Amino acid sequence: MTQVVVDISVSVDGYVAGPNVALDNGLGDGGEAVHNWVFHGTDADRAVLDAAFEETGAVVQGRTLFDIIDAPGGWSDEMGYGAKPTGEVNPPIFVVTHTPPDKTRLGDRFRFVGSPTEAVKRAKEVAGGKDVVVMGGGQICHAVLAEGLADVLRLHVANVVLGDGTRLFPAEPSAASGLELVQAVSTPSAQHLTYRVQKEK
């Protein structure tokens, strides 16, 4: 059964990227530390990453993240979705934007839609029973949670305090969500926490 999984790495103080995010600085100043578990982690970190990749049937992301990964310094043959080589089977990606680009460097895996609700709906249709994974950035992840579209929240809490940058949860008041912890994997690089989102009945 397809689940909608918000899956994102975050600092202890709640930032998914450092300040000054740009096309050539996709994780912002110091933001690489949030993803150390991906590139310099243990076998347990790799198992978390591999399991998520295998369970993914379709992806939802925001326009800023798309622009970064489709830029010349973005994803390549050496690194694609889920830190896997792009020669492997890659899931379709739905980008939430009101202004689709004229062309993409990375080919036709990307579909452009106008809202998180539409993105999730269309992603479910092609996920083949696997998960729809909302991978970022922070704004789209929070929107999917706030709109009640997520079934699961998976946080990879890195051992770093960034102090500034792109928040996962906005500073201003927003929708509340009840969470049930269903899995916790602890490694020297991160705490991998999986929560079931409690839906209102």
Side-chain angles (χ1 to χ4, degrees), residues 37-90:
W37 71 273
V38 174
F39 301 108
H40 308 292
T42 64
D43 289 344
D45 292 303
R46 174 56 60 179
V48 168
L49 191 68
D50 288 348
F53 182 83
E54 293 302 323
E55 294 163 3
T56 300
V59 175
V60 173
Q61 66 181 210
R63 177 59 189 267
T64 299
L65 180 57
F66 165 78
D67 286 340
I68 290 167
I69 65 176
D70 199 54
W75 286 356
S76 65
D77 289 340
E78 288 73 44
M79 212 255 305
Y81 171 72
K84 296 285 189 176
T86 57
E88 299 191 28
V89 176
N90 288 292

Side-chain angles (χ1 to χ4, degrees), residues 173-198:
S174 62
S177 294
L179 303 173
E180 176 190 357
L181 182 66
V182 294
Q183 185 180 49
V185 177
S186 180
T187 76
S189 298
Q191 305 302 309
H192 305 283
L193 306 173
T194 302
Y195 298 93
R196 181 175 293 112
V197 180
Q198 296 176 337

Side-chain angles (χ1 to χ4, degrees), residues 137-186:
Q139 184 177 12
I140 191 69
C141 285
H142 180 261
V144 169
L145 284 167
E147 293 180 25
L149 301 171
D151 301 302
V152 173
L153 171 62
R154 186 177 298 127
L155 297 178
H156 310 283
V157 184
N159 300 338
V160 62
V161 173
L162 289 181
D164 193 12
T166 303
R167 296 176 181 270
L168 175 56
F169 299 103
E172 64 272 8
S174 62
S177 294
L179 303 173
E180 176 190 357
L181 182 66
V182 294
Q183 185 180 49
V185 177
S186 180

